[in-house]
Amino acid sequence: MDLWRGGLTLRRAAVLATQLPAGSRVWQATGGPRAWSDEYHGLLAVKNRVERLEWRKTEDGSKGKNPPQMQEPPPFVGDVQAKASTADAKAQEFMRRQRAIEARRQVERRAM
């Protein structure tokens, strides 16, 4: 491991990592469009084309309704974590408001 011995700088290691082919474990771990290999993208293109051809034969296809959806690449890991933290913050705020409402109701009940 030249990185730890000083023979490889962190910048050079990052540059080398970004040059890894699509579908490599590094890209799979980080997510995004490069998480899928070129072969996988090709297979998805074929799959989507076949689904679209089959869809055209259906009643919905003749009317142009409900076309098959293309599969989206996996989201970036940071995006997933950001959404999770945003959802957690929203849930905590909701719970705080609910506790405040319940406290007001208890005060009103005691006043009666």
Side-chain angles (χ1 to χ4, degrees):
M1 299 284 319
D2 286 342
L3 180 61
W4 309 121
R5 295 181 193 146
L8 181 66
T9 65
L10 189 57
R11 176 185 166 108
R12 178 70 177 148
V15 168
L16 291 172
T18 60
Q19 299 303 315
L20 289 170
S24 65
R25 287 185 178 216
V26 170
W27 293 122
Q28 289 176 6
T30 58
R34 298 216 50 197
W36 290 345
S37 66
D38 293 337
E39 293 84 6
Y40 191 78
H41 277 285
L43 288 172
L44 275 179
V46 170
K47 174 185 170 278
N48 290 334
R49 184 67 178 160
V50 169
E51 284 178 350
R52 176 126 356 235
L53 289 171
E54 289 296 317
W55 168 75
R56 286 184 181 175
K57 296 177 185 177
T58 65
E59 187 177 329
D60 281 350
S62 64
K63 295 178 183 176
K65 294 182 179 179
N66 303 321
Q69 299 297 316
M70 293 184 66
Q71 186 175 356
E72 295 291 324
F76 288 103
V77 172
D79 293 346
V80 172
Q81 292 170 346
K83 284 182 183 179
S85 65
T86 301
D88 287 344
K90 286 181 180 181
Q92 289 174 358
E93 178 62 22
F94 174 78
M95 292 302 294
R96 186 193 63 76
R97 286 193 313 264
Q98 290 301 103
R99 280 188 231 112
I101 290 169
E102 186 59 33
R104 272 188 254 129
R105 286 181 182 159
Q106 287 179 0
V107 168
E108 289 172 358
R109 287 182 199 139
R110 289 180 191 153
M112 292 180 160

